[in-house]
Amino acid sequence: MPVPPTPRCRTVRSWVSAAHDDELSVERQVAMDSHLASCATCRRAQDELASLGVALRRGAAEQRPDDAAFAGLATVVLARRPFEQGLSWRRRLREAVEEGPGLWIMGGALAATLAVTILVATVLSLATPLHPQSLAGLLQTSVALGSNANPISLATGITWAGPAHGRFAYASQLLPRVWADTRAAAMLIQPGPLLLLDNLTLTAVVTREGQLASVKVLREGTPDADLARAVSRLASGVRFVPARLAGAPVAVNVVWVLERTTVHGEF
Amino acid sequence: MKTARAIDWSETTGTESALAERCAAGDAPACQELVDEHQRMVYHLAFQLLGHHEDALDLSQDVFLTVFRSIHRFRGDSALQTWIYRIVVNHVRNRQRWWRRRRRSGEVSLDAVMAEHGEPVAPIASTSPERALDQKELSQRLWRALGRLPFEQRSTVILRELHGMRYAEIAFSLGVTTAAVKSRLARARQTLRTELKHR
């Protein structure tokens, strides 16, 4: 940094301490001397600093013990030295800590890292669950296409076969099938009075685990909650081979349209 | 007056290295020589930082034992004396931490020292008794103010004003940069100058 030929008082004041300690560069010292020749205020600051040093040294001299204070030091140290050679590792570790701040810094950094890790883990564990209607929730759901929360729609007979294929595939390749063992239950045939329905629409989700969920029933075009509950109860014993996409089980929406079907059951 | 000559790192001579090597090898006369040469400096710095004779003497012993245990690590990148200064400062700093942990002392007990060593050891050269009394009171007040400074500032002032160390040497002894030394000195002196003005 270039030294101004005529430095201001503020600049000179910042140099006074270094000048007092003979640590000022020659250029700055020359500029400072030039300024001091015409500035009584800065000279006073310099004098105060000099007086401070004198007073400190005078105080030290007043307190200074004479050499008799440490007369036996060498004898004691040299007598203790052989016994100090075989120190335990704990004592050596303490010495290493005392000799410098390095171990303190390393230990502090380690402790801080650990504390931050625990804090982050705690915050994450206590965080409010993702709201399904939030943007993040929607994004997460869209990413998990084919999960039970975001089943694949089997619309108009075809569906997307996944990015690995890059093309559309027929739904027949994906449709879930009823396990042969539970096919009887799936027939929904129970003893009791016959119920004749002209038009029955049933929507549901066949989950990844092969269960029927989210059952809704439209009876003659009108939602029928009681019938939906009854169908759910009856379907609880039904198991499906889940639909598969790229070899992995996926949840799918299914729609059954029944026309002029006779259903035996206690609805 | 500067109580110690300025130390130049170029003074790290073959003599010092040879002495260090002999001490590392366990040579008793070399260890005696090292203690004889540096005990005054070690004791006085410990006394100035701690303010108590017994503590300073005890710490001086620990310092030399540490010196002998770690002398094999002395590489000559500083003068031997500067390297020992560093050990003294670290010992004092850790001892004060130890005190604080046990609530024995939050600050260096310079007030107690002044009470203990209230009367000057040597008469003060001055033109009149009144002036001598003023100077004595001023020095005492300054030393009390010095004792209230944070340890890092206090040690910096003592190493500079009483031991005549250069900024680079102080920085090495305290394990900080020269910029930090300048900053600490400036802040400490500002505080002490304020004390000086309130006379």
Side-chain angles (χ1 to χ4, degrees):
Chain A
M1 183 183 293
V3 178
T6 53
R8 297 183 177 185
C9 288
R10 187 175 174 181
T11 306
V12 169
R13 300 281 177 80
S14 69
W15 294 346
V16 165
S17 181
H20 173 74
D21 297 329
D22 296 329
E23 297 272 358
L24 202 60
S25 68
V26 175
E27 294 83 0
R28 288 184 176 184
Q29 187 68 57
V30 170
M32 181 176 161
D33 290 344
S34 169
H35 177 90
L36 289 177
S38 59
C39 181
T41 310
C42 289
R43 274 204 308 275
R44 192 159 53 248
Q46 187 187 37
D47 291 344
E48 281 176 4
L49 206 56
S51 301
L52 181 71
V54 169
L56 281 172
R57 287 188 287 275
R58 184 188 302 120
E62 289 169 4
Q63 303 173 41
R64 188 184 182 97
D66 57 26
D67 288 358
F70 52 88
L73 181 60
T75 307
V76 174
V77 168
L78 294 172
R80 282 179 61 186
R81 191 179 65 84
F83 298 102
E84 299 284 333
Q85 299 300 316
L87 285 176
S88 66
W89 64 269
R90 285 185 183 179
R91 176 73 183 271
R92 289 180 187 276
L93 181 63
R94 188 166 65 83
E95 290 283 350
V97 170
E98 288 177 354
E99 283 174 25
L103 282 182
W104 287 109
I105 292 170
M106 278 198 300
L110 192 65
T113 305
L114 195 63
V116 168
T117 305
I118 291 171
L119 181 67
V120 168
T122 306
V123 168
L124 287 178
S125 68
L126 296 177
T128 306
L130 208 58
H131 194 286
Q133 299 303 317
S134 69
L135 179 59
L138 290 173
L139 286 172
Q140 190 181 57
T141 302
S142 66
V143 168
L145 186 66
S147 66
N148 291 345
N150 188 21
I152 294 173
S153 295
L154 299 179
T156 62
I158 58 172
T159 189
W160 191 45
H165 296 77
R167 59 183 171 78
F168 286 95
Y170 284 100
S172 60
Q173 295 175 312
L174 296 168
L175 278 175
R177 300 188 315 277
V178 178
W179 279 106
D181 295 348
T182 61
R183 191 163 292 157
M187 296 300 288
L188 303 179
I189 298 172
Q190 298 289 329
L194 297 176
L195 180 63
L196 184 63
L197 300 171
D198 286 334
N199 189 352
L200 186 70
T201 304
L202 186 146
T203 67
V205 172
V206 178
T207 66
R208 285 174 165 177
E209 293 77 27
Q211 291 177 308
L212 210 59
S214 304
V215 175
K216 291 177 183 170
V217 174
L218 290 177
R219 185 178 181 184
E220 306 294 345
T222 305
D224 190 327
D226 291 338
L227 189 55
R229 277 194 293 274
V231 171
S232 294
R233 191 172 63 248
L234 290 170
S236 62
V238 181
R239 289 290 179 273
F240 290 81
V241 177
R244 302 189 80 81
L245 180 62
V250 290
V252 292
N253 287 312
V254 292
V255 178
W256 284 282
V257 178
L258 304 144
E259 290 186 350
R260 301 190 67 81
T261 301
T262 300
V263 177
H264 295 267
E266 296 175 349
F267 300 134
Chain B
M1 180 190 78
K2 293 181 180 174
T3 55
R5 66 193 171 88
I7 306 157
D8 192 333
W9 286 3
S10 63
E11 292 178 16
T12 307
T13 61
T15 310
E16 278 194 342
S17 297
L19 180 64
E21 284 179 16
R22 286 168 56 207
C23 289
D27 183 55
C31 295
Q32 175 82 50
E33 184 182 339
L34 188 144
V35 176
D36 287 344
E37 190 171 334
H38 298 286
Q39 61 181 353
R40 184 191 307 271
M41 173 275 287
V42 168
Y43 171 78
H44 280 147
L45 178 58
F47 179 76
Q48 287 154 358
L49 289 170
L50 292 170
H52 192 273
H53 164 69
E54 295 296 335
D55 285 338
L57 201 57
D58 184 54
L59 187 130
S60 299
Q61 292 180 22
D62 288 345
V63 165
F64 279 113
L65 292 170
T66 300
V67 166
F68 291 136
R69 272 196 296 277
S70 50
I71 191 79
H72 62 279
R73 292 205 295 268
F74 175 69
R75 294 281 177 265
D77 51 358
S78 70
L80 182 59
Q81 184 166 347
T82 309
W83 187 73
I84 296 174
Y85 268 116
R86 183 176 183 144
I87 294 174
V88 176
V89 171
N90 284 332
H91 269 268
V92 174
R93 184 190 287 124
N94 284 295
R95 183 165 294 215
Q96 292 196 328
R97 281 184 188 140
W98 186 85
W99 279 344
R100 275 197 290 273
R101 282 200 296 269
R102 283 155 184 78
R103 298 178 182 277
R104 267 182 54 187
S105 168
E107 297 291 336
V108 168
S109 57
L110 280 176
D111 286 345
V113 171
M114 296 307 290
E116 187 177 335
H117 303 272
E119 292 302 316
V121 174
I124 301 169
S126 61
T127 54
S128 70
E130 291 79 10
R131 181 167 169 74
L133 189 61
D134 282 350
Q135 289 177 339
K136 179 188 170 188
E137 286 178 354
L138 174 64
S139 292
Q140 289 179 347
R141 206 164 62 237
L142 269 180
W143 272 85
R144 280 195 291 271
L146 186 68
R148 289 192 294 270
L149 289 178
F151 174 78
E152 304 301 341
Q153 289 185 28
R154 185 168 70 247
S155 55
T156 307
V157 169
I158 287 173
L159 290 174
R160 173 59 224 161
E161 292 287 1
L162 305 183
H163 293 257
M165 293 175 73
R166 303 195 64 77
Y167 286 178
E169 295 165 333
I170 298 172
F172 179 85
S173 295
L174 298 179
V176 296
T177 63
T178 52
V181 170
K182 283 183 192 175
S183 169
R184 288 175 184 181
L185 268 178
R187 273 181 285 156
R189 281 169 168 163
Q190 185 58 43
T191 306
L192 295 176
R193 278 166 68 182
T194 305
E195 188 70 27
L196 195 68
K197 284 178 182 173
H198 293 164
R199 54 191 304 182

